[in-house]
Amino acid sequence: QVQLVESGGGLVQAGGSLRLSCVASGRTISTVAMGWFRRSPGQGREFVAAITGSGGSTLYADSVKGRVTISRDNAKNTMYLQMNSLKPEDTAVYYCAARRGTYTTYVNNVEYWGQGTQVTVSS
């Protein structure tokens, strides 16, 4: 079992930056791939970014590529999402996700979810 707790969301103006954090507990997190999904108002959850257990490989959604960076520090049991050049359309609840084995871009393949953190980008 893996427990995930996000933090770092908030209100920011367009063009600004935020860094989200996700602290994991419950098992050795280097054995789980992790990622971020988001849900905009009236939409389903969508993939944002993912990272392998070792941190050696990452994947990004086209909508955020070049503006966000996913990373992890397994010694601190923490994953990060650095978001720059934020746009109003990035407004969403951001969820930390994890699964054993390789990472996934599919909501249904996620095994563990955090509770979510709100990111609001004003124009």
Side-chain angles (χ1 to χ4, degrees):
Q1 192 74 3
V2 176
Q3 293 79 44
L4 305 170
V5 178
E6 304 98 332
S7 63
L11 173 63
V12 64
Q13 289 188 330
S17 299
L18 279 176
R19 188 175 80 156
L20 306 183
S21 299
C22 174
V23 178
S25 61
R27 66 181 292 155
T28 303
I29 72 160
S30 61
T31 64
V32 296
M34 300 181 74
W36 294 92
F37 289 72
R38 67 186 182 186
R39 182 172 61 199
S40 303
Q43 305 293 322
R45 293 190 191 191
E46 64 172 2
F47 169 74
V48 176
I51 188 167
T52 54
S54 67
S57 180
T58 58
L59 182 68
Y60 297 94
D62 288 342
S63 59
V64 302
K65 196 173 295 182
R67 300 189 295 118
V68 308
T69 302
I70 189 171
S71 62
R72 65 191 294 166
D73 184 342
N74 287 345
K76 296 182 178 179
N77 290 343
T78 304
M79 176 183 63
Y80 305 97
L81 187 71
Q82 177 67 45
M83 302 189 293
N84 301 321
S85 302
L86 283 163
K87 305 175 181 179
E89 50 264 44
D90 293 317
T91 294
V93 178
Y94 284 72
Y95 296 91
C96 177
R99 72 186 299 265
R100 292 165 291 178
T102 189
Y103 54 51
T104 184
T105 62
Y106 297 101
V107 170
N108 289 344
N109 288 346
V110 173
E111 292 184 284
Y112 309 104
W113 291 101
Q115 82 287 352
T117 186
Q118 177 71 47
V119 171
T120 303
V121 184
S122 63
S123 57

